[in-house]
Amino acid sequence: MRSFSVLEADVLVIGGGITATRAAVAAYDEGARVILVDKGIIGKSGGGPVAYSVTAALVQEPDSAEVFFEDLIRSGQGINNQHLVRTFVEDIIEGRVLELERFGIVFAREKDGQLSRRQMGGHSYPRDVASFHAASMVNVMVSEVMRRDIKVFSETAITQLLTHEGRVVGAIGLDRKKGEVVVFRAKSTVMTAGGASQVFGPGKICGYSTTLLEITGDSYAMAYRVGAELIDMEFIQYIIGFAYPELYKGILAGEPAAHNAKLYNSLEERFMKRYNPERMDQSTKDVLAAAIVQEVKAGRGTPHGGVWMDFSLATEDSLHIFPYPFEEAGIDPKKDRVEVMPAAHYHMGGVKINERCESNVPGLYASGEAAGGLHGANRLAGCSTADSNVFGFRSGKYAAIEALKMKGPVAIDWKQAYEERNRLASLLQSSTKSSGITPVSLKRKLQTILWDDAGPLRDKVSMTAAIEKIKAIREEYRNIRIRQDSPRLNNELLEAIDVANMIDFGEMMVRAALLREETRGGHYREDFQKKDDEKWLKNIVIKKQNNKMSISTMPVVKKS
Amino acid sequence: MDQVSKVSVLRYDPDKDVSPRYEQYEVPFSDGMTVLEVLKYIYDNYSPIVFRYGCRIKVCGSCSVMMNNRPVMACKEKAEKVMTIEPIPVLPTIKDLAVDFDAFFDKRVKIRPFIEPPKKKIELPRQLSYDVVNKYRECETCVECLICDAACPVVAKTPHLFAGPCTMLEIARLYRDPQDSGDRIRLAVSEGLFNCDLCGKCTEMCPVGIKIHRVIDELQQLARKQEPMVNEKASGHRVEINVDKEGLR
């Protein structure tokens, strides 16, 4: 850990999913030298392996760009950045998603060879296409990365962005396979490692989340630390996941609407009649999530803290659209009821960007789940992968164009690099302490706080307490102790790095959620259960100023 | 819950250990418990063993390990009461149970696993018949967990003469894509297509249920037809392997 290597590129892409690969390929095609750095293994990490369905638009009468635009705004409950939405709609219609077929993906076809299109919840017309296999999209993009001379660093965790005179000039990270610190010097840096769902929990194996293990809010925390503005941090999308068995806690169990499924509490009541008597189990995800948690809280939950979901009316086909682990869990969905609970799925907010994916910090770009503003308060089905394609492409392209305008390598503030290296080294050194808290127990504490106090149900009292508790966790973090001092593939060292990011993310989320005194989309306040358009048709922006979290509101960006 | 599983894990830290060693752990055992849960229990309660996992539902393909000499996906495989757990042998081990997927990446790049530019421009959406799509689909569900390679007796014995079932499956996927203009059959032959004995171990172990050896069989038949000159003889050394006698490994 003492010495470190330095690598140089025009564009540095942080992440390893669809957005990252798309950005890296676009940047390379503009003529830039590209390095892609992924905390996990490229193609096997992030959101890529579970993204099978995508909004490809293919608008035909009576569907149109305007209707699509309106659908997005309605689902985002009016607070989407309309510039981003317009760009998104235009690019998809132009074929940004469909061109994946040129890279070799084959979307599902009907018997006559036409694309099978599906109408997903919240869309006015069928606009989604699906690949046969959950990981197809990312696999195809990884093969496009292989076609090009893009340098890939798998299992290298970026731990901090580097700045020089107010500009992001690359990043420093830990090459976990070698146990070495690496400095990446880059003219443009693209953040694509979005999502933070693993901050909720604590599950024995993973957080209460549909996502993969790596999704710990890294992009938001790192961007925040270099002064980037983050928007809509209070909005989390919850989806229905398994509550039992333990291994599958949080894994997607599907929408009742898609499977014709019914929800029951432990008293055998169809409890949705209390929350939304008209739409019942067909309600949107945010309503279902809040209802389930309220039922459990009122003592009407199942033995493992969920409610029952009855799939007996589901069609055979619908049970195979996603690799649901029914068989592995020993459940026959046609006969047995499944215990389900809300699970964190997607984070709507993120780095505030414009149509060129630029953040307010020069040299820093963000796209995909790492960026915020496009989806507003709630995300439309299929639009995350579409977002990855549209803005992944744009971020790579514009990052490359900017980088290629610059002459010579960028200057580095070595003091920052040394400081970060010392931080990593001292985390590793903590193994020599005689006592301390392990990263995994600290992570579980934090996950419990964020889920219980600021998860699907939030109110002023719980969140005010959560802020104090997060403060205490920050103190406790100083006392962290890992059990192994060898730097190579040290999972505890990585967990310690992750927890620091999760703390920063958690605080941002709670502060924004505390400020927004209303219920909107993925943000459900028990003490303000109504939407308040008069006061809150605006966005909350968080930024680091004078070493403090400064929080403000801004008007919604309207279509010009 | 009084039952225990006696687990022996192959530990190796290249920075410290002279040689790999087995360490024993006792883990509370319950019916239906998976190998992944056992490993996580050891990590949380005994020692920070290094292993990988991601999705828990057989799509990321990063948790493959050898359990009692069988390659398995840890998130799917049920734990046993006596287990020996080792890294899969087809990639270099980095530490404990984690293997170096970069080596896989490098091997993949060699076969040019992307669409070679089609001879004429393709209009989108592509016009594909239902049959073509269905054939393609078979190869596409691969999650690259490398269990087939770890199960393959030819790869175990002569990895330099046969690129392995996983590579063959990828070549078949590209072959089955009508817009690809690469000569995938010749590629398959040069990667050792005819050294596969079609023993079917890959199909038997595949966690996502692809009939891999059938796909390879089809490639072999195509190769015999397309290039009679470039057949068995051209691929050089033929390997004789008696699967029954030598077992899996």
Side-chain angles (χ1 to χ4, degrees), chain A residues 48-49 59 69 146 154 168 179 220 226 248 268 276 293 325 367 374 380 401 425 428 436 471 475 515 521 551 558:
Chain A
V59 288
F69 181 92
M146 288 177 177
S154 277
V168 170
Y220 314 122
V226 295
Y248 301 116
E268 296 296 315
N276 193 339
V293 183
S367 54
L374 169 67
L380 212 49
I401 290 174
L428 197 62
K471 228 180 242 167
E475 281 305 310
L515 187 63
I551 184 161
K558 293 274 186 202

Side-chain angles (χ1 to χ4, degrees), chain B residues 213-225:
Chain B
H213 77 292
R214 291 273 145 254
V215 175
I216 300 179
D217 187 16
E218 194 193 310
L219 283 178
Q220 290 190 348
Q221 287 173 24
L222 285 163
R224 287 200 185 93
K225 239 187 263 166

Side-chain angles (χ1 to χ4, degrees), chain A residues 526-537:
Chain A
E526 246 183 321
D527 44 355
F528 297 91
Q529 299 196 3
K530 289 264 155 9
K531 186 156 91 175
D532 184 354
D533 273 343
E534 216 152 278
K535 265 167 90 183
W536 283 108
L537 201 59

Side-chain angles (χ1 to χ4, degrees), chain A residues 102 104 155 205 485 488, chain B residues 16 52-53 95 122 136:
Chain A
R102 208 159 264 152
E155 294 197 274
I205 308 288
D485 67 349
R488 206 183 292 264
Chain B
K16 293 208 168 123
R52 292 203 187 94
Y53 69 100
K95 191 174 173 182
I122 291 193
Y136 180 85

Side-chain angles (χ1 to χ4, degrees), chain A residues 83-337:
Chain A
H83 281 175
L84 295 181
V85 177
R86 198 184 50 195
T87 312
F88 179 70
V89 170
E90 281 169 2
D91 277 15
I92 296 190
I93 289 177
E94 221 169 76
R96 185 70 67 233
V97 172
L98 213 55
E99 75 186 19
L100 285 175
E101 285 219 324
R102 208 159 264 152
F103 297 149
I105 198 169
V106 174
F107 290 118
R109 293 294 201 278
E110 297 292 344
K111 285 260 186 301
D112 60 359
Q114 295 293 313
L115 277 174
S116 2
R117 279 190 265 168
R118 309 190 299 162
Q119 181 167 356
M120 306 292 279
H123 287 273
S124 300
Y125 295 99
R127 298 189 187 112
D128 278 45
V129 294
S131 57
F132 293 115
H133 168 46
S136 308
M137 257 180 273
V138 72
N139 286 350
V140 152
M141 285 317 298
V142 171
S143 72
E144 284 303 305
V145 168
M146 288 177 177
R147 185 200 295 273
R148 293 160 175 84
D149 189 13
I150 294 170
K151 232 179 149 65
V152 175
F153 285 79
S154 277
E155 294 197 274
T156 300
I158 293 291
T159 61
Q160 194 82 278
L161 295 172
L162 297 173
T163 55
H164 182 72
E165 291 171 355
R167 183 183 176 88
V168 170
V169 290
I172 180 166
L174 180 67
D175 182 337
R176 302 183 53 233
K177 273 178 310 222
K178 295 191 181 127
E180 272 176 15
V181 176
V182 191
V183 169
F184 298 96
R185 206 177 187 161
K187 293 170 188 165
S188 300
T189 303
V190 184
M191 270 290 187
T192 72
S197 304
Q198 292 288 341
V199 302
F200 298 107
K204 268 190 192 144
I205 308 288
C206 271
Y208 294 168
S209 159
T210 56
T211 60
L212 270 67
L213 200 60
E214 293 93 2
I215 307 216
T216 51
D218 306 341
S219 282
Y220 314 122
M222 285 191 274
Y224 165 76
R225 281 184 226 132
V226 295
E229 288 177 343
L230 292 114
I231 191 169
D232 294 344
M233 293 303 281
E234 64 275 32
F235 296 109
I236 307 281
Q237 184 174 48
Y238 300 94
I239 201 166
I240 293 182
F242 283 78
Y244 186 78
E246 190 64 41
L247 175 62
Y248 301 116
K249 213 162 188 166
I251 293 287
L252 179 69
E255 271 179 77
H259 300 294
N260 205 0
K262 294 187 175 62
L263 296 169
Y264 295 90
N265 62 16
S266 60
L267 307 175
E268 296 296 315
E269 282 176 301
R270 291 187 62 189
F271 60 86
M272 282 310 294
K273 67 180 183 221
R274 260 197 287 281
Y275 304 93
N276 193 339
E278 289 102 55
R279 298 193 64 189
M280 293 290 286
D281 306 319
Q282 314 271 325
S283 306
T284 49
K285 292 169 198 154
D286 43 339
V287 178
L288 290 172
I292 295 174
V293 183
Q294 273 165 305
E295 284 298 302
V296 175
K297 208 173 165 190
R300 295 190 287 268
T302 56
H304 299 96
V307 295
W308 298 109
M309 185 155 160
D310 179 359
F311 283 88
S312 56
L313 295 176
T315 59
E316 201 54 42
D317 278 354
S318 79
L319 293 175
H320 288 105
I321 55 169
F322 185 79
Y324 299 119
F326 290 125
E327 199 192 320
E328 289 80 4
I331 297 168
D332 177 357
K334 288 290 196 186
K335 286 196 199 116
D336 310 329
R337 286 183 182 175

